[in-house]
RNA sequence: GCCGCGAUAGUUUAGUGGUAGAAUUGGGGACUGUGGAUCCCCUGGCCCGGGUUCGAUUCCCGGUCGCGGCCCCA
């Protein structure tokens, strides 16, 4: 092989592409059925935008470069930032809510492993301009609906609330910046470092007890919510629980199976309210196939602050999860192969192919195969019908249509050929 | 960034310190207008660089790529 693919990238062959396009279609149709409309942003953005709200670790994993004019650019590592940039640039004055969806490739410079590639695809939605619970609930429900439509069985939805955590921290006098650090430690599960930081920030024992108590709450809705209420009795964070509960009440109308985990923090500083993650457990280390929640980003990016929430599917992982679970026989094969019995009839075969294409996908044998070989080819490729173009039939204004499955043959008038697709 | 395993026709593989077979795929023929069988022919390969050696596809080192794990995961 002279040239090989760049590390961590993939070529997609026709069969896999057919499966990917099918899944993509289900996602698009679901998003659109809720009124989301597709947008597209550039593959690269200014490095400042991408790096703005990101820590060192994230910048380290960017594909970044300078263009010929010395501008610092980066390939997008995700789509929430570009989409919000687009919103601020173009859509701030449009009627709310604004519903956007995307299906795009992203790039991260990481060591490839199972379910992790340097070029990967994300499909997601952003709901901008409303923070009513029915909106947030709907966003979560859409993610679940997609997976259900795809027939994925083995997945778990986990819901948490960064809003509650932030409220507790704010009540304890922790500034925004420190909140980020704390949430990061929570996300990583670094309990020891977390306790040290809390000590350093002089969080009172009572507040610490409440925070750690909340973090440990996970499981069934009723239990988690009532325990959280008890912990937060008489505190401002109680109102966050109430909002959380009303989101869940709306969610319950559409999704029954989920668990709560108030220890979910998600990695990024801009998450502010309800957050959720979906896992396909059989994928192992890279099991998270979807992540999202409510966040505040418009203000940080220089726009007018507005509530937003959304999610992104790790498209490639959704594919892996589906393929691990079931056979996906989705392929778009040619319907008809046109074969002339002799080279002198090639011209007729070309014309006949064009006629057939008005109603069915059709390929002309381009290898000048003999009839027997052509039938073998149709058979091995799973092409269900062969149209044989021969002198004898042409003299009668006909061609022979062969059903490859049954071996049945019949003569068809050229005049009927145009609508042949309806009969196959 | 780190660790383990690996790399031989398009694919799956055998094998060797003296440059390699097989199966399968692909093209053609036996069969000059009828497929899934059979037989025959053809095409096609030792990841890259360095070292050891008379000689390396084989042994050693490095790289690249793949699979998987750690870190990380927006």
């Amino acid at each position: 092989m002279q040239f090989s693919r760049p590390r961590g990238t993939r070529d997609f062959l026709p069969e896999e592409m057919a499966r990917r396009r099918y899944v993509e279609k289900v996602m698009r149709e679901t998003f659109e059925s809720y009124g989301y409309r597709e947008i597209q942003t550039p593959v690269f953005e200014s490095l400042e935008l991408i790096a703005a709200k990101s820590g060192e670790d994230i910048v380290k994993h960017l594909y970044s470069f300078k263009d010929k004019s010395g501008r610092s650019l980066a390939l997008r590592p995700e789509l929430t930032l570009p989409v919000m940039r687009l919103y601020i640039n173009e859509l701030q004055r449009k009627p709310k809510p604004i519903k956007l969806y995307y299906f795009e490739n992203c790039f991260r410079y990481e060591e490839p492993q199972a379910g992790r590639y340097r070029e990967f695809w994300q499909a997601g939605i952003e709901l901008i301009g409303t923070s009513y619970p029915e909106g947030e609930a709907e966003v979560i429900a859409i993610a679940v609906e997609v997976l259900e439509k795809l027939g994925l069985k083995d997945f778990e939805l986990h819901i948490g609330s960064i809003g509650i955590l932030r409220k507790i921290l704010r009540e304890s006098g922790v500034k925004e910046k420190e909140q980020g650090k704390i949430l990061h430690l929570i996300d990583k599960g670094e309990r020891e470092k977390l306790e040290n930081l809390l000590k350093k920030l002089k969080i009172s024992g009572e507040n610490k007890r409440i925070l750690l108590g909340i973090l440990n709450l996970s499981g069934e809705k009723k239990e988690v919510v009532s325990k959280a209420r008890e912990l937060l009795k008489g505190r401002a964070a109680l109102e966050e629980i109430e909002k959380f509960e009303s989101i869940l009440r709306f969610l319950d109308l559409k999704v029954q199976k989920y668990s709560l985990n108030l220890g979910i923090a998600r990695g990024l500083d801009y998450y502010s309210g309800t957050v959720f993650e979906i896992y396909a457990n059989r994928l192992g280390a890279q099991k998270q196939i979807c992540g999202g929640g409510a966040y505040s980003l418009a203000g940080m990016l220089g726009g007018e602050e507005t509530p937003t929430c959304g999610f992104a599917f790790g498209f490639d992982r959704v594919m892996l999860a589906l393929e691990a679970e079931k056979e996906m026989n989705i392929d778009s094969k040619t319907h008809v192969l046109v074969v002339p019995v002799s080279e002198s009839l090639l011209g007729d075969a070309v014309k006949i192919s064009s006629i057939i294409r008005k109603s069915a996908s059709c390929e002309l044998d381009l290898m000048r195969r003999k009839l027997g070989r052509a039938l073998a080819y149709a058979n091995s490729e799973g092409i269900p019908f062969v149209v044989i173009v021969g002198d004898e039939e042409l003299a009668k204004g006909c061609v022979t249509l062969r059903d490859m499955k049954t071996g049945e043959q019949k003569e068809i008038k050229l005049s009927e050929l145009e609508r042949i697709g309806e009969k196959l």
Side-chain angles (χ1 to χ4, degrees), chain A residues 242-259:
Chain A
E242 270 154 21
K243 185 178 175 201
F244 188 57
E245 272 193 274
S246 68
I247 290 170
L248 297 180
R249 268 198 300 279
F250 282 110
L251 183 64
D252 286 339
L253 300 174
K254 312 189 78 166
V255 178
Q256 280 73 43
K257 226 184 72 195
Y258 58 86
S259 50

Side-chain angles (χ1 to χ4, degrees), chain A residues 131-164:
Chain A
S131 61
Y132 287 115
E134 59 271 34
E136 290 188 29
E138 189 179 273
V139 166
I140 299 173
I142 291 170
V144 173
E145 187 174 322
V146 164
L147 297 176
E148 281 173 351
K149 277 187 184 158
L150 289 170
L152 189 70
K153 296 262 158 37
D154 175 39
F155 70 88
E156 287 176 12
L157 168 63
H158 291 245
I159 305 175
S161 170
I162 286 191
I164 295 171

Side-chain angles (χ1 to χ4, degrees), chain A residues 103-275:
Chain A
F103 185 93
E104 302 279 13
N105 52 351
C106 302
F107 304 84
R108 294 181 192 175
Y109 194 90
E110 294 185 282
E111 292 311 302
Q113 62 189 70
R116 177 184 286 178
Y117 308 97
R118 290 184 174 180
E119 182 191 24
F120 59 97
W121 273 258
Q122 286 198 339
I125 67 175
E126 308 295 346
L127 173 65
I128 304 170
T130 175
S131 61
Y132 287 115
E134 59 271 34
E136 290 188 29
E138 189 179 273
V139 166
I140 299 173
I142 291 170
V144 173
E145 187 174 322
V146 164
L147 297 176
E148 281 173 351
K149 277 187 184 158
L150 289 170
L152 189 70
K153 296 262 158 37
D154 175 39
F155 70 88
E156 287 176 12
L157 168 63
H158 291 245
I159 305 175
S161 170
I162 286 191
I164 295 171
L165 301 177
R166 282 194 189 276
K167 239 342 188 304
I168 298 169
L169 292 171
R170 200 171 309 144
E171 241 185 321
S172 315
V174 179
K175 299 215 172 73
E176 291 281 330
K177 207 173 163 192
E178 263 77 37
Q179 286 181 21
K181 277 186 203 161
I182 291 174
L183 291 172
H184 215 71
L185 290 177
I186 292 172
D187 184 46
K188 286 193 196 173
E190 305 242 30
R191 283 304 155 86
E192 213 169 297
K193 286 186 188 168
L194 174 63
E195 297 208 22
N196 290 340
L197 182 58
L198 293 178
K199 206 174 281 173
K200 213 173 109 194
L201 291 171
K202 301 198 174 89
I203 309 290
S204 73
E206 173 69 0
N207 285 331
K208 200 169 124 186
R209 189 184 64 82
I210 291 173
L211 180 67
L212 295 178
I214 291 287
L215 289 186
N216 285 328
L217 291 180
S218 66
E220 289 303 307
K221 176 182 164 187
K222 265 188 191 160
E223 201 185 321
V224 169
V225 169
S226 72
K227 280 186 181 164
R229 277 179 171 281
E230 210 176 292
L231 273 165
L232 296 173
K233 204 175 279 175
R235 300 184 146 260
L238 201 58
E239 92 189 34
E240 284 295 321
I241 293 265
E242 270 154 21
K243 185 178 175 201
F244 188 57
E245 272 193 274
S246 68
I247 290 170
L248 297 180
R249 268 198 300 279
F250 282 110
L251 183 64
D252 286 339
L253 300 174
K254 312 189 78 166
V255 178
Q256 280 73 43
K257 226 184 72 195
Y258 58 86
S259 50
L260 299 184
N261 180 354
L262 297 184
I264 296 179
R266 297 198 50 77
L268 226 60
D269 287 353
Y270 52 70
Y271 281 97
S272 56
T274 303
V275 290

